[in-house]
Amino acid sequence: QVQLVESGGGLVQPGGSLRLSCAASGFTFSSASMTWYRQVPGKERELVASITRAGGSTNYAESVKGRFTISRDNAKNTVFLQMNSLKPEDTAVYYCNARGYSSSKRPYDYWGQGTQVTVSS
């Protein structure tokens, strides 16, 4: 079965750093584009960063550009989000998402359960 398991969240002070990881299994990770989203209660889920299958292209929300870095290790079926210079407004549940096409060319859209990031002094 497909699994996306996020880890690395927690409580950090403003200006601090966290590194989130998302371990994938049950599908061909290297065929998927990977995206980190975040959500605050009562608000729409927001795209934070995305990365293409081979890692050659990345995209970031303007609010995190220059502070966050998305990367992937296809050999380890893992995508990362390095978060530096964290701000209180970065507080949210962060979700890992995988999108792509199966070998039978069926689209898929998988989500992890999320990991809480809290930035507070």
Side-chain angles (χ1 to χ4, degrees):
Q1 61 181 351
V2 171
Q3 285 190 297
L4 294 174
V5 181
E6 300 98 334
S7 62
L11 175 64
V12 65
Q13 294 185 345
S17 297
L18 284 173
R19 189 194 194 206
L20 305 184
S21 298
C22 174
S25 60
F27 67 101
T28 304
F29 178 80
S30 60
S31 73
S33 61
M34 301 297 298
T35 304
W36 288 97
Y37 289 81
R38 66 187 182 188
Q39 189 168 29
V40 176
K43 298 182 67 175
E44 290 287 320
R45 194 166 295 184
E46 174 191 22
L47 189 151
V48 177
S50 61
I51 188 167
T52 54
R53 291 171 294 172
S57 182
T58 56
N59 184 58
Y60 298 92
E62 289 296 324
S63 60
V64 308
K65 195 171 295 182
R67 300 188 297 120
F68 291 10
T69 302
I70 189 170
S71 61
R72 67 192 295 162
D73 186 340
N74 285 349
K76 297 181 178 179
N77 289 356
T78 304
V79 63
F80 305 95
L81 185 67
Q82 178 67 47
M83 305 185 294
N84 298 325
S85 302
L86 283 161
K87 305 174 180 179
E89 50 263 46
D90 295 318
T91 296
V93 177
Y94 284 71
Y95 296 91
C96 179
N97 169 260
R99 294 190 180 95
Y101 295 88
S102 71
S103 59
S104 59
K105 300 183 179 180
R106 297 172 181 170
Y108 56 80
D109 185 358
Y110 303 135
W111 291 87
Q113 293 184 329
T115 185
Q116 177 71 47
V117 172
T118 302
V119 185
S120 177
S121 60

